[in-house]
């Protein structure tokens, strides 16, 4: 678990660093998404008895990213967004 935690911390730092002025990315809009569990075929086969209603569908993630990229919805540069799915409804915090 140490390597997993270190990798997550590194990604959080990378998001913050890339979002800063002078990061080398012109007009950056850098965000991180933090889903609890993604609803993928691999996860379903690995955990067949899990509660799938608490997993975030990939279509939901794709729609969210598309809306942020196309300016339909505002996102905060450098923010880490937590995706929480309960009863098949996903909220973004």
């Amino acid at each position: 678990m140490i390597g997993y935690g270190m990798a997550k911390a590194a990604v959080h730092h990378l998001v913050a660093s890339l979002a800063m002025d002078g990061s080398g990315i012109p007009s950056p809009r850098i965000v991180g998404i933090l889903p609890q569990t993604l609803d993928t075929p691999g996860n379903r086969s690995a955990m067949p008895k899990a509660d799938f209603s608490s997993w975030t569908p990939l279509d939901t993630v794709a729609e969210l990213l598309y809306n942020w990229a196309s300016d339909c919805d505002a996102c905060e540069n450098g923010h880490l967004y937590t995706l929480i799915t309960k009863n098949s409804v996903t909220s973004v915090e």
Side-chain angles (χ1 to χ4, degrees):
M1 288 303 289
I2 291 173
Y4 178 74
M6 288 174 58
K8 287 183 74 161
V11 169
H12 292 193
H13 184 75
L14 180 64
V15 168
S17 295
L18 290 175
M20 295 174 62
D21 288 335
S23 70
I25 297 176
S27 304
R29 186 186 310 180
I30 308 297
V31 298
I33 59 167
L34 311 173
Q36 293 185 347
T37 305
L38 291 173
D39 190 354
T40 66
N43 280 344
R44 283 182 177 250
S45 73
M47 299 175 272
K49 295 181 181 179
D51 175 13
F52 302 140
S53 72
S54 66
W55 293 8
T56 304
L58 296 181
D59 290 348
T60 301
V61 175
E63 182 178 356
L64 179 65
L65 294 175
Y66 175 81
N67 287 340
W68 283 341
S70 62
D71 282 332
C72 293
D73 292 326
C75 62
E76 182 182 338
N77 187 39
H79 191 76
L80 299 169
Y81 289 94
T82 302
L83 307 181
I84 299 172
T85 302
K86 292 182 183 175
N87 299 318
S88 300
V89 176
T90 301
S91 61
V92 180
E93 297 180 4

